[in-house]
Amino acid sequence: MAIALKLKDNSKQVSNKFKSYQSALSRAIDKGVKQAGFQLLDIIRTKTQKGIDFRDRDFASYTEGYRKRLEREGKPTKVDLFYTGRMLGSLTPNSTVKKTGKHKVTLAFSNAQMRQRALFNQVLMGEKNREFFGFNKRTENIISKQFNRFVAKELRKFRIWV
């Protein structure tokens, strides 16, 4: 008595599914990282508009002479780094958030003159620095949670098995 056993497997299909899943995961991470960059940009703009730095502390006050100049020109004297709007205006999502590598984005000012102005406010003012361009651990946690939710949502859309 002879027994004939014939097996048919779908290992090729399973392998292809894992490759496509890996590709979908990579795309989801790239989209999530870019979205995180947009979210960080929004947080930076919002905090700056409120007059607080990335550590959630009030900006250093304007000098007396500068404050008087603002009053003469009829501009608000609240420290929000908004005089003409050009510096923060050069932080536009399309030109500011750039993909710079695998799963990596960079935020930067799109205008060299405004980059210099931001550097002055951020670093070169001495003890009156107004460090607006950065993030703290709390902001990192907020963005991280949003990123994880986004990637999980994207992967739920992808079916693994046939």
Side-chain angles (χ1 to χ4, degrees):
M1 176 192 255
I3 298 178
L5 181 64
K6 186 176 181 182
L7 293 175
K8 184 177 178 184
D9 71 351
N10 64 348
S11 60
K12 197 170 199 168
Q13 288 174 318
V14 170
S15 176
N16 288 339
K17 276 291 185 182
F18 277 115
K19 285 178 185 172
S20 62
Y21 182 76
Q22 184 179 20
S23 174
L25 176 62
S26 183
R27 283 191 310 274
I29 290 172
D30 276 340
K31 281 173 64 176
V33 167
K34 193 154 188 172
Q35 181 181 355
F38 290 135
Q39 187 177 12
L40 178 59
L41 176 63
D42 184 53
I43 290 170
I44 288 171
R45 291 177 127 202
T46 302
K47 284 185 175 189
T48 303
Q49 190 175 24
K50 290 179 181 178
I52 56 177
D53 66 9
F54 73 90
R55 292 185 187 98
D56 296 325
R57 297 182 302 204
D58 288 338
F59 284 141
S61 61
Y62 288 137
T63 62
E64 189 63 33
Y66 189 68
R67 192 174 18 258
K68 286 180 183 178
R69 176 181 165 191
L70 290 174
E71 288 171 355
R72 276 193 314 269
E73 295 176 2
K75 296 194 182 267
T77 57
K78 179 184 175 215
V79 181
D80 60 1
L81 304 181
F82 191 90
Y83 182 72
T84 62
R86 289 182 57 215
M87 183 180 76
L88 294 176
S90 72
L91 280 174
T92 58
N94 293 339
S95 63
T96 302
V97 180
K98 298 277 188 198
K99 183 176 180 194
T100 56
K102 185 174 181 179
H103 311 317
K104 183 179 176 181
V105 294
T106 301
L107 271 63
F109 288 85
S110 61
N111 181 312
Q113 184 182 11
M114 297 306 116
R115 198 170 23 252
Q116 284 299 116
R117 191 176 292 175
L119 177 67
F120 177 77
N121 280 303
Q122 183 87 11
V123 179
L124 301 177
M125 291 184 64
E127 61 188 47
K128 287 205 174 230
N129 285 347
R130 297 180 182 102
E131 297 175 319
F132 68 99
F133 199 71
F135 58 93
N136 58 14
K137 192 68 175 167
R138 181 173 173 258
T139 301
E140 182 180 350
N141 289 338
I142 290 168
I143 292 173
S144 177
K145 284 179 186 176
Q146 186 67 29
F147 170 80
N148 290 336
R149 271 184 264 172
F150 175 80
V151 171
K153 181 180 169 188
E154 288 293 306
L155 293 180
R156 276 194 299 273
K157 295 177 186 176
F158 190 80
R159 288 185 9 197
I160 296 177
W161 306 111
V162 180

